[in-house]
Amino acid sequence: MAFTANDASFIPIWLGNLPHDPDQLKEAEKELAVAIAKVSVDLGVLDICPKDVCFRFHTKGSSSSGVGLGFGFAWVPRPVAQNLVQVGQLEYSDGNGSERFASVRESRGHPSRPASAKEEIAVAVVGTFASLEVQLAELISQWQTVFDEANVHLNFRFSEKNGTSEICKLLQGKRHFLRRVPIGVVLWQPQDLCRACLSSANPAKEVFDVINAAKSACSAGHVLMFLQIKECRSCDERQASDILKEGLQNINLCEFINWPALVELYPCATSEPLAAACALIIRHRTAALLSNRLKVFVADCDHTLWEGVVAEDGVQGVKLAAPHVGLQRRLAALQKAGRLICIASRNASATEVLQVFVDRKKECPLQLEQIVAYEVHPGPKPQSLQRLSTLLSLTLDSFVFLDDNCFEVEDVRQSLPDVITVHIPADHAEFDRLVQHCWLLDAFQGTPTKEDQDRTELYRQNAARRAERERHRSLTDFLDSLEVEVVIHEPNQNDAYRYVSRLCQLCAKTNQFNTTQLRLSELEISMWCNNELRSVFAAQVKDKFGDYGLVAGVFCSLEEDSVVVDCLAMSCRVLHRGVELQLLRKVAQLALARDKAKVTVKFRPSSKNALARGFLARLFCWLEGHVWQSPDISSQISWECGEQVFAFPALELSQLSSCALEGFSDASVSDWRREAIDRELHVSSWTNVVDAEDWMLVPTHPQHVTSWSALLKKICDIGPDIPLSSGRNPGKDRRHRWRL
């Protein structure tokens, strides 16, 4: 059956990072069609042929022989479009056996994901034993009934093959197994590992092959979980397990969970190991979704962070029992993963409360410096939470409140329904159960970036900036007083690893100052850094109050007569610090060094990137009034396939100062430039250290927020009572029966 671009079952997707050479572009068209057909088959969508996929590549001159502009469109089945847009890239061969990656995003006007579409928890699972899909099918179905409330789909992909050698092939990318999923899970049994070792001439070789394959996968940006689902029963099995653990535990993006840890979390693993494994996998992935919603954890102190009342028992009199220490440990882990920890207590003296963290420092896993703000006074808790929300500039639906007093918890529920509440039980056994099984407290999200780890300190520095702002009459004087320093790096193949994770975050999460919303994966950014025809610049910023971290990046391509800025992404916390201009000056210097006369900046309008548009509007005014001094510069501004393209002279841009550009903030224009400049200058009063979209993903649909709240309440009550297969003996472990 043949399909065309007008077929209702096919929708367009945008493809970027395409070759410019006409011959290479023709070869890429064939290979991209093959890759898309494979994806369609993998997803079980349509059995299409490569010739059924329709393309339109954008070129200069003739559409058949012109030089490619690096992007185009492909018409693919809707489910394929949804999957590729979620992953953000498509791997294909360049015809010479080398791998290439095309970036993928939604085509404007043709969203590949309807507003009502489900979010997805996608996982790739492989085991050292067979029949995984059959054994887990019923369990996944039971879990799906829970996640249906939040409109979330569980998508488990299983390998058709098993064994250590197959695992190595999958992890090394010799199959399409890890493509298009955020995490790969390896379920392994010690006896299978030991059996593979004994069948080899070098017994330890099989284990080291798996370790090396895991290193290869994680270095390419894949997240892995190795989960042991059977107990070691011999010395050989324990030895193989120890070798595997030692080799995997220091690999970034790789998590190793052994049998004792699984049984401690879910005791039913002794009789239903796959049920425990399935629960842990889903819990791990749910934590990633929660990390986009829950940002602030506010804890009561007395009978919550410690046992006793500090006002009555004194600093040395309160007890740090096991459950309280466990809760502090979970909160400390969340802080290291980038969440904000606050305390809210109705004690009269803040000094006494804080003194517990000072005098009992060695006993408290949660340290005073990890607490970003506190509200200690006899007033109502809802008012404390509202003040914290204002102080942190974060909405209440990103807050989690923990308290042992059921009246306080109910007061917050009634007064602030957007806040997620957790009641801390008085019974130590129940308290310990909550600490171990409350999914809201999970901090699984891969390796935190430096910015994640330093977020609490960044908020403290921002408080000092606010105080400094009050001492100056004008915003200009305030910005001058900050003594801003900008250091720009050009990552290459030798040091790209230092910048890739944070640059990937900037691409994925910044919207307001993002010129084209180019969403690049860590692998794509690494390839960009290693490409002679491309350049990446990363900006680190600090002032007299502290280090903002890596807050901006620009991605460039070298063309025949210009350097093209494919994307400029910057956190709004350094808006009007001159960072964006310094980056463009760096690009202009690159252009001059490569004998290019122009710097071309692409801008793709969206509903959120008005700030980037305002900056380019001021550059537009400077171009109009300073360089050509002519009201007609239409030849320097053009529209190409939904993108506004600005062509700037490299020499003048390399010499442009921030003061000169600010002079065009009050340009007497009345078209789109005036509106864009006004919007950018209005936002210049922001001194928040954390960019809203860099930190908070705001839910689009109110009904989705409500359904997530229902899910959060349910998973807080799950505990160890997870779904079990119906075929188990009902006379054993009856306490673990699943109840909806």
Side-chain angles (χ1 to χ4, degrees), residues 415-635:
S415 304
L416 307 173
D418 288 340
V419 176
I420 302 298
T421 57
V422 179
H423 177 242
I424 303 298
D427 180 75
H428 278 202
E430 288 296 312
F431 190 176
D432 189 64
R433 177 182 181 274
L434 179 136
V435 169
Q436 193 171 37
H437 293 287
C438 183
W439 291 24
L440 301 177
L441 300 176
D442 289 339
F444 308 128
Q445 59 174 14
T447 303
T449 64
K450 183 179 183 298
E451 282 70 19
D452 290 329
Q453 297 169 349
D454 293 345
R455 185 163 281 118
T456 298
E457 182 59 29
L458 292 175
Y459 267 89
R460 287 206 192 92
Q461 294 170 5
N462 199 46
R465 292 185 183 97
R466 287 197 192 96
E468 178 76 10
R469 174 70 179 92
E470 296 300 319
R471 304 211 310 262
H472 295 276
R473 293 186 177 182
S474 71
L475 182 64
T476 302
D477 291 342
F478 162 61
L479 294 177
D480 290 341
S481 74
L482 292 178
E483 301 173 11
V484 176
E485 296 181 25
V486 181
V487 178
I488 297 177
H489 306 275
E490 185 175 6
N492 54 47
Q493 59 183 356
N494 297 321
D495 62 357
Y497 66 92
R498 299 178 183 175
Y499 308 97
V500 164
S501 295
R502 178 57 180 161
L503 286 171
C504 183
Q505 275 191 344
L506 286 170
C507 287
K509 296 183 179 180
T510 54
N511 293 307
Q512 297 190 61
F513 204 103
N514 191 319
T515 55
T516 56
Q517 305 92 55
L518 184 62
R519 313 301 190 190
L520 297 174
S521 67
E522 291 189 14
L523 178 59
E524 287 180 303
I525 293 173
S526 296
M527 295 174 63
W528 205 296
C529 294
N530 296 333
N531 192 326
E532 293 183 356
L533 297 179
R534 288 180 169 167
S535 289
V536 178
F537 295 106
Q540 290 186 293
V541 182
K542 64 180 181 180
D543 61 23
K544 67 180 182 182
F545 292 108
D547 193 344
Y548 291 92
L550 200 160
V551 290
V554 62
F555 300 87
C556 314
S557 301
L558 301 182
E559 294 196 350
E560 185 176 351
D561 60 345
S562 68
V563 174
V564 177
V565 176
D566 295 284
C567 182
L568 169 58
M570 185 181 74
S571 171
C572 290
R573 62 179 183 247
V574 292
L575 187 69
H576 283 259
R577 307 298 202 267
V579 180
E580 59 272 46
L581 184 58
Q582 289 199 43
L583 279 169
L584 285 188
R585 280 207 298 264
K586 192 73 173 180
V587 174
Q589 292 167 9
L590 171 67
L592 295 174
R594 300 292 183 93
D595 295 325
K596 312 293 183 184
K598 294 186 299 182
V599 171
T600 303
V601 181
K602 296 180 179 180
F603 176 75
R604 176 177 286 269
S606 76
S607 60
K608 297 181 179 180
N609 64 351
L611 299 185
R613 186 180 178 89
F615 170 67
L616 292 175
R618 287 193 290 130
L619 277 178
F620 185 106
C621 292
W622 164 74
L623 176 67
E624 184 177 40
H626 177 70
V627 180
W628 278 277
Q629 297 181 351
S630 167
D632 182 16
I633 56 168
S634 57
S635 61

Side-chain angles (χ1 to χ4, degrees), residues 88-131:
Q89 65 181 31
L90 174 64
E91 182 181 353
Y92 67 99
S93 171
D94 65 357
N96 297 320
S98 300
E99 293 182 346
R100 289 182 62 95
F101 290 88
S103 54
V104 182
R105 65 173 182 243
E106 291 179 355
S107 171
R108 289 177 60 82
H110 297 82
S112 63
R113 177 181 171 181
S116 60
K118 291 186 175 184
E119 287 193 69
E120 187 176 66
I121 292 179
V123 184
V125 184
V126 62
T128 57
F129 51 94
S131 306

